[in-house]
Amino acid sequence: MSPRTTEHMTWHQAHHAVDGVMVHPSDGEAWKRFNSVHPHFSTELRNVRLGLCTDGFNPFGSFAAPYSCWPVILTVYNLPPGMCMRPEFMFLSTRLMNNKKRLMNSFAK
């Protein structure tokens, strides 16, 4: 990590939230609840908080096709909003490839 990036890694603790306005996950109730449940983790500002994101799409462009693809992406939530969603801070951890017929049959059982 570059020195320029490391200075932003404690942004989540330093910024001041406006009541009723959520501009970053650190403004949310889940973040505050995590801090209260895990105080040892939250007191160390350098601990990295990651978000796990996924969104499925059909790689062949037709919803009738029997296959789908689900990329699983890790994001760094320590960074400010303008940085945490930039491609250089999003990491493709895996891809889940599914056959819709097989997937539907597994749910039917």
Side-chain angles (χ1 to χ4, degrees):
M1 191 174 290
S2 74
R4 200 178 87 201
T5 304
T6 56
E7 65 189 44
H8 294 289
M9 288 296 287
T10 58
W11 178 90
H12 65 284
Q13 185 67 30
H15 93 283
H16 300 289
V18 177
D19 286 339
V21 178
M22 186 171 166
V23 297
H24 188 269
S26 63
D27 299 335
E29 291 300 318
W31 190 289
K32 294 170 187 166
R33 170 95 171 116
F34 183 87
N35 285 347
S36 66
V37 172
H38 305 283
H40 182 70
F41 182 89
S42 62
T43 54
E44 177 54 63
L45 301 180
R46 294 173 294 179
N47 285 337
V48 178
R49 297 181 186 231
L50 300 173
L52 189 65
C53 313
T54 187
D55 190 14
F57 67 94
N58 189 315
F60 303 110
S62 169
F63 291 110
Y67 297 97
S68 66
C69 180
W70 292 80
V72 179
I73 299 168
L74 285 172
T75 58
V76 181
Y77 282 148
N78 292 53
L79 298 170
M83 291 178 76
C84 69
M85 293 299 159
R86 285 161 84 190
E88 59 266 29
F89 300 113
M90 298 174 80
F91 307 99
L92 179 64
S93 60
T94 190
R95 274 181 317 178
L96 304 174
M97 304 293 281
N98 288 323
N99 180 319
K100 288 183 183 177
K101 285 184 181 176
R102 228 180 318 145
L103 184 64
M104 292 308 250
N105 287 339
S106 66
F107 286 127
K109 291 180 181 178

